Amino acid sequence: MMEYKGYAAEVEFDDSVGRLHGRVINSGAYPIATFEATDVEGIRREFHRSIDEYLKSCEEDGIEPRKPFSGKLNVRLGPDLHQRVARSAAESGLSLNSWIVQALEKSLYR
């Protein structure tokens, strides 16, 4: 995994052609950039170049670039789970959002 200006990229090696292929993975459903190179320094350079060009193009066109994850997430819980989570949050003295964030943090660091 590589990161640059808040964007994250995943890189895979294609042995059949001897190339590294990368794609931005945190900019929504479709990657804003894909890139390739034959070595580590090259793939890093192409990743940076791709992000810089994407941001410059957005600026020139007067459009807002797709941002890395915003931190906002809509979750569909279903009525029963929503009620149980809300009850547990209230019993813990937490907002529903804070309770969910804590539950997710705990599950990631087990």
Side-chain angles (χ1 to χ4, degrees):
M1 183 86 59
M2 301 184 326
E3 290 191 38
Y4 179 65
K5 294 187 176 180
Y7 293 93
E10 186 174 74
V11 176
E12 295 179 345
F13 178 68
D14 184 345
D15 193 38
S16 68
V17 293
R19 296 191 66 81
L20 295 164
H21 297 277
R23 66 184 179 91
V24 174
I25 60 170
N26 66 335
S27 60
Y30 304 102
I32 59 168
T34 60
F35 44 93
E36 62 181 52
T38 57
D39 59 44
V40 173
E41 283 307 310
I43 199 77
R44 184 176 290 117
R45 184 176 51 255
E46 290 301 312
F47 173 42
H48 292 192
R49 187 185 60 74
S50 294
I51 294 300
D52 290 340
E53 285 182 5
Y54 169 71
L55 295 173
K56 181 180 177 187
S57 174
C58 288
E59 183 179 345
E60 288 172 352
D61 294 342
I63 61 172
E64 188 71 24
R66 281 197 266 164
K67 303 268 186 194
F69 297 113
S70 69
K72 296 178 183 179
L73 173 69
N74 290 324
V75 179
R76 290 173 182 80
L77 303 175
D80 182 56
L81 181 57
H82 190 170
Q83 180 180 12
R84 290 185 293 144
V85 168
R87 184 179 302 131
S88 182
E91 290 169 357
S92 301
L94 297 170
S95 70
L96 184 58
N97 188 75
S98 293
W99 188 93
I100 291 170
V101 168
Q102 281 187 8
L104 291 171
E105 288 286 347
K106 286 178 187 175
S107 72
L108 289 173
Y109 297 107
R110 285 188 179 175

